Amino acid sequence: MVTAYDREFLTGTVGVLILSLLTERAMYAYEMLQEAERRSAGAFHLKEGTLYPALHHMERAGLLKAAWRESDAGRPRKYYSLTAKGRRQAESKRRQWKSILSAMRAILGDAGA
Amino acid sequence: MVTAYDREFLTGTVGVLILSLLTERAMYAYEMLQEAERRSAGAFHLKEGTLYPALHHMERAGLLKAAWRESDAGRPRKYYSLTAKGRRQAESKRRQWKSILSAMRAILGDAGA
DNA sequence: GTATGATACCTTGCCTAACAAGGTATGGTG
DNA sequence: CACCATACCTTGTTAGGCAAGGTATCATAC
């Protein structure tokens, strides 16, 4: 379900997306890929080449912390969770996202509703 | 009112923004800058270095056409309007934008509402 | 027994959009 | 005369998203 428009619209949203998912619970990267796809009914298809570097970057920035856990089958999984700084960032980003949303609505008229 | 977050969130939205403004009426670039700022109550501060290249690109792509008109005072203004192709594009982009919006809502939970 | 696909992690290199910072020109206001 | 708002534009940098590759484990199918 990867269409050409994904990219232009997705740009900049990946950060908020990760922060929001991790606000709910700790998750591993592969799980995030599936969750994003499932919840958007296939509209989003987060790419691995986008997600992994983003996670590493956010970990370096002190927003996330990672912990390996064994799984019943297959390779161990690397679970990410929010640090205190990450939780503050999540809150802040969400507020910003809302403000951008309403601004877009104002500019687009009913088109953005 | 330029804040650091503008960029990440704005990415990819400029195209839709232009198409939507021009759906209403022909406008010149400087006017678009003001309109975007006014309607969003200062939340958006479209940059000239973003807008002008975007307009030129969209004109080359056959989405817009430009026409110079004299003004009572100052320099002549370059009015942009949608071509037939541009109108189709505007419709299509708006639909995509809506689908992305609802996908984001689904992922963010009430955070995106 | 081996091929394939799902799971699960990762990196390198390219492309393009957004921006900062600069430039030109005109008219009005202090 | 200086300065600001209007109005157009360009160049160079940066950073984010992605395609395409790679590694390893396990289950299923043939």
Side-chain angles (χ1 to χ4, degrees):
Chain A
M1 184 85 336
V2 194
T3 47
Y5 71 80
D6 276 354
R7 181 174 182 186
E8 13 178 338
F9 284 103
L10 227 58
T11 319
T13 62
V14 178
V16 212
L17 214 139
I18 293 172
L19 290 168
S20 289
L21 288 175
L22 293 183
T23 296
E24 301 177 26
R25 67 168 192 277
M27 291 177 72
Y28 55 99
Y30 199 81
E31 194 182 2
M32 294 184 207
L33 295 175
Q34 296 172 319
E35 272 297 297
E37 181 124 15
R38 193 181 60 74
R39 294 199 199 182
S40 67
F44 278 159
H45 187 73
L46 243 183
K47 308 304 185 309
E48 301 200 356
T50 302
L51 182 58
Y52 285 105
L55 288 170
H56 299 156
H57 180 259
M58 291 169 78
E59 189 181 6
R60 257 179 285 123
L63 301 171
L64 313 179
K65 57 177 185 301
W68 289 94
R69 285 189 223 160
E70 297 296 328
S71 81
D72 295 345
R75 305 182 62 184
R77 294 160 176 165
K78 194 174 180 181
Y79 280 84
Y80 286 96
S81 54
L82 296 178
T83 62
K85 187 176 174 186
R87 275 189 294 275
R88 283 194 300 273
Q89 183 88 353
E91 229 337 86
S92 152
K93 290 284 176 193
R94 249 193 305 247
R95 241 182 294 115
Q96 291 169 13
W97 174 255
K98 283 189 198 180
S99 116
I100 295 295
L101 265 197
S102 71
M104 280 304 281
R105 264 193 292 268
I107 286 162
L108 300 180
D110 48 356
Chain B
M1 182 88 333
V2 194
T3 48
Y5 70 80
D6 275 355
R7 182 172 180 189
E8 12 178 338
F9 284 102
L10 226 59
T11 317
T13 63
V14 178
V16 212
L17 214 138
I18 294 172
L19 290 169
S20 289
L21 288 175
L22 294 183
T23 295
E24 301 177 26
R25 66 169 192 277
M27 292 177 71
Y28 55 99
Y30 200 81
E31 194 182 2
M32 294 183 206
L33 294 175
Q34 296 173 319
E35 273 297 297
E37 181 123 15
R38 193 182 61 74
R39 295 200 200 182
S40 68
F44 278 160
H45 186 75
L46 241 185
K47 309 303 186 308
E48 300 200 357
T50 302
L51 182 58
Y52 285 105
L55 288 171
H56 300 157
H57 181 258
M58 290 168 79
E59 189 182 5
R60 255 180 286 124
L63 301 171
L64 314 179
K65 57 178 184 300
W68 289 94
R69 284 189 222 161
E70 297 296 329
S71 81
D72 295 345
R75 306 180 60 182
R77 293 159 177 166
K78 194 175 182 180
Y79 280 84
Y80 287 96
S81 54
L82 296 179
T83 62
K85 187 176 174 186
R87 276 188 295 274
R88 282 195 300 274
Q89 183 87 355
E91 228 339 86
S92 151
K93 289 285 176 191
R94 251 197 300 252
R95 240 181 294 115
Q96 290 169 14
W97 173 256
K98 283 189 196 179
S99 117
I100 295 295
L101 266 196
S102 73
M104 279 306 281
R105 264 194 292 269
I107 286 161
L108 300 179
D110 48 357

